[in-house]
Amino acid sequence: MWVQLRCGLEPRTLAALAVVLVAAAVFAGMHFWSARPEGVRAPDMVGEAVHAPAPAPDEDAKADPGGGGRPEPSPGPAAGPGGQIVVDVSGKVRDPGLRRLPAGSRVDDALTAAGGARPGTDLAGLNRARVLMDGEQIVVGAPQAPAPGPGVAGSAAEGGGPVSLNSATAEQLETLPGVGPVLAQHIVDYRTQHGGFRSVDELREVNGIGARRFADLQPRVRP
């Protein structure tokens, strides 16, 4: 009433001013309440399981105090059940047939297991030091492809049998269609690095032999 009489306000205006003052007081109270300081809860202590002690070094590590554990040797490639390979020895041997040999055996071991070559058999074209692969065939005493004569280098020898990828020389490989000195050497290098050809399909992995050239060579070669 004092404000009304002092300022000459009407009752309606005075009521509106009172509502504004009350709303301002409520807003100020809410702002003060939301800005009050709150206590922060201390983090829990880390359990003992996180700080589990490191495993004690084994006997090998104790025996090698130089620092740095020795890496475990990686297992070698599996060669078959019991670490054996199976090869087929045929041709001019005393006892041809399948032979089971330890992994890493060579052609000479397969000849011995087959009773050896027959008397008079020419073994000049057989690499007896080559490491054998599981599932391959060893033909003993097979006729070699004739060496190319003058003027026929780079062409296939017509009327002859297929050329052996495992025993042919680089010059004999050049008699195949599309095979020159460089490609012939690639075939020989692949044969040396992989221990020979197990099948004709492996010829696709030789550098320089595509699908079209392989189709031309497939009927003219054998492992």
Side-chain angles (χ1 to χ4, degrees):
M1 293 295 293
W2 179 84
V3 173
Q4 181 180 6
L5 295 175
R6 183 72 176 175
C7 299
L9 299 176
E10 296 182 357
R12 183 178 299 177
T13 304
L14 183 61
L17 180 60
V19 172
V20 172
L21 292 176
V22 172
V26 173
F27 177 77
M30 293 178 61
H31 180 72
F32 174 79
W33 180 260
S34 62
R36 77 186 189 282
E38 296 182 1
V40 179
R41 183 171 177 269
D44 296 334
M45 297 297 293
V46 180
E48 296 182 358
V50 178
H51 301 286
D58 55 11
E59 295 299 330
D60 293 339
K62 293 179 181 179
D64 185 13
R70 293 176 296 180
E72 294 292 336
S74 58
Q84 290 186 340
I85 59 174
V86 180
V87 296
D88 181 14
V89 185
S90 60
K92 298 180 180 180
V93 291
R94 290 188 174 91
D95 188 14
L98 296 179
R99 292 292 179 269
R100 288 176 171 80
L101 302 171
S105 299
R106 302 180 183 271
V107 173
D108 188 65
D109 299 325
L111 291 178
T112 303
R118 295 178 184 175
T121 303
D122 184 13
L123 301 179
L126 191 64
N127 183 8
R128 290 181 289 178
R130 179 172 59 83
V131 179
L132 294 171
M133 302 179 67
D134 184 48
E136 74 169 282
Q137 182 185 33
I138 304 171
V139 182
V140 181
Q144 302 182 24
V152 295
S155 62
E158 299 181 359
V163 177
S164 173
L165 296 174
N166 288 326
S167 60
T169 63
E171 290 76 12
Q172 293 170 349
L173 292 172
E174 291 180 27
T175 64
L176 297 171
V179 178
V182 176
L183 185 55
Q185 188 61 42
H186 286 172
I187 296 174
V188 173
D189 293 342
Y190 181 92
R191 179 176 66 193
T192 303
Q193 295 172 3
H194 296 80
F197 289 86
R198 296 177 56 184
S199 65
V200 177
D201 291 338
E202 291 186 8
L203 199 59
R204 297 181 180 179
E205 303 177 11
V206 177
N207 184 21
I209 296 182
R212 182 175 180 180
R213 183 165 295 175
F214 175 77
D216 295 337
L217 296 176
Q218 186 178 15
R220 295 176 172 86
V221 295
R222 63 177 177 83

